Amino acid sequence: MAVQINPSILSADFSRLAEEARAVEGADWLHVDVMDNHFVPNLTLGVPIVESLSRATDTPLDCHLMIEDPDRWAPQYVEAGAGSVTFHAEAAAAPVRLAREIRAKGARASMALKPATPIEPYEDLLPELDMLLIMTVEPGFGGQAFLDIMLPKIRRTRELISKHGLELWLQVDGGVSDTTIERCAEAGADVFVAGSAVYGASDPAEAVRALRAKADGASAAAGRACRH
């Protein structure tokens, strides 16, 4: 598993988003949290901001749609420049059709699960996806504390991915920091969304490098343990 670090601009300074995007150009993706004040109790960014960010940075955009009716809106985020679009299983009416449409438009298709949503009912959908996102906080607000009770769910998800031999990225989002990222990597995650841990640091680019090093070390150690 190749570790990827995705800084979340939810924790950035919204008055200077272009500069904040460029401050983490060593990251793999720039994570964009889209909230509609219906699916979650917060209102953030939309299609026009994604269009602007896609012109302001060379870092690909990873859009996480915490919105109602993603079947209608998700394709517009691909057209706006997103390289990866995540919809919530709890909100999508036809997740397989939506994933196929996102892929057909040229982006990676991802599905997210809230903390209380089990992975097992979605096992048959995994081949339709490029990434699965396990929320490690309740979606809606940044800066929340990491939920350790999600670690077994991450492990079960990694086991299902391995069982089917899929090249499926496993992302975690919520409370990821230098004190929690190793546990997530050991459990099987390989894509890490970090907001305040990156943008709250004096040097966001260095924070990305430090998080990557910790995740790399934990992933390598977990791989050695599995082989033995």
Side-chain angles (χ1 to χ4, degrees):
M1 297 181 292
V3 164
Q4 299 183 63
I5 305 297
N6 299 12
S8 171
I9 62 166
L10 185 62
S11 297
D13 181 348
F14 278 22
S15 70
R16 41 194 295 272
L17 282 183
E19 295 170 55
E20 295 281 67
R22 288 191 287 270
V24 293
E25 285 185 341
D28 298 282
W29 296 78
L30 188 64
H31 191 81
V32 182
D33 288 305
V34 177
M35 307 183 199
D36 64 357
N37 201 31
H38 294 286
F39 181 70
V40 293
N42 197 1
L43 184 65
T44 56
L45 309 171
V47 169
I49 297 298
V50 172
E51 289 177 337
S52 295
L53 279 171
S54 69
R55 294 192 297 268
T57 178
D58 292 330
T59 306
L61 303 183
D62 167 32
C63 288
H64 176 194
L65 308 185
M66 288 168 271
I67 63 173
E68 292 183 350
D69 200 9
D71 303 74
R72 175 184 178 188
W73 297 110
Q76 293 189 28
Y77 285 87
V78 183
E79 294 165 5
S84 176
V85 176
T86 301
F87 58 87
H88 267 265
E90 304 87 357
V96 171
R97 184 175 64 197
L98 179 55
R100 290 180 177 180
E101 185 174 1
I102 290 169
R103 281 175 156 181
K105 285 184 173 291
R108 296 179 64 86
S110 171
M111 186 172 73
L113 303 177
K114 289 183 176 182
T117 303
I119 176 58
E120 287 77 10
Y122 298 98
E123 179 177 354
D124 292 342
L125 273 67
L126 297 181
E128 301 290 339
L129 303 170
D130 298 297
M131 182 169 73
L132 189 81
L133 166 55
I134 301 295
M135 292 298 300
T136 44
V137 299
E138 288 294 339
F141 294 93
Q144 298 183 62
F146 179 81
L147 295 174
D148 284 280
I149 58 172
M150 291 298 103
L151 291 171
K153 183 176 173 181
I154 297 169
R155 292 190 186 96
R156 292 196 306 273
T157 304
R158 175 52 65 190
E159 289 167 2
L160 288 177
I161 292 170
S162 298
K163 170 185 171 183
H164 293 282
L166 300 173
E167 295 292 327
L168 182 66
W169 297 350
L170 180 53
Q171 185 180 66
V172 289
D173 180 4
V176 175
S177 68
D178 60 351
T179 62
T180 62
I181 195 168
E182 290 171 304
R183 278 174 278 166
C184 294
E186 288 164 359
D190 52 5
V191 183
F192 306 89
V193 177
S196 53
V198 171
Y199 282 111
S202 57
D203 185 342
E206 176 55 33
V208 169
R209 289 190 287 271
L211 289 170
R212 190 189 304 281
K214 287 206 167 193
D216 272 331
S219 291
R224 287 195 296 271
C226 287
R227 288 193 293 273
H228 291 86

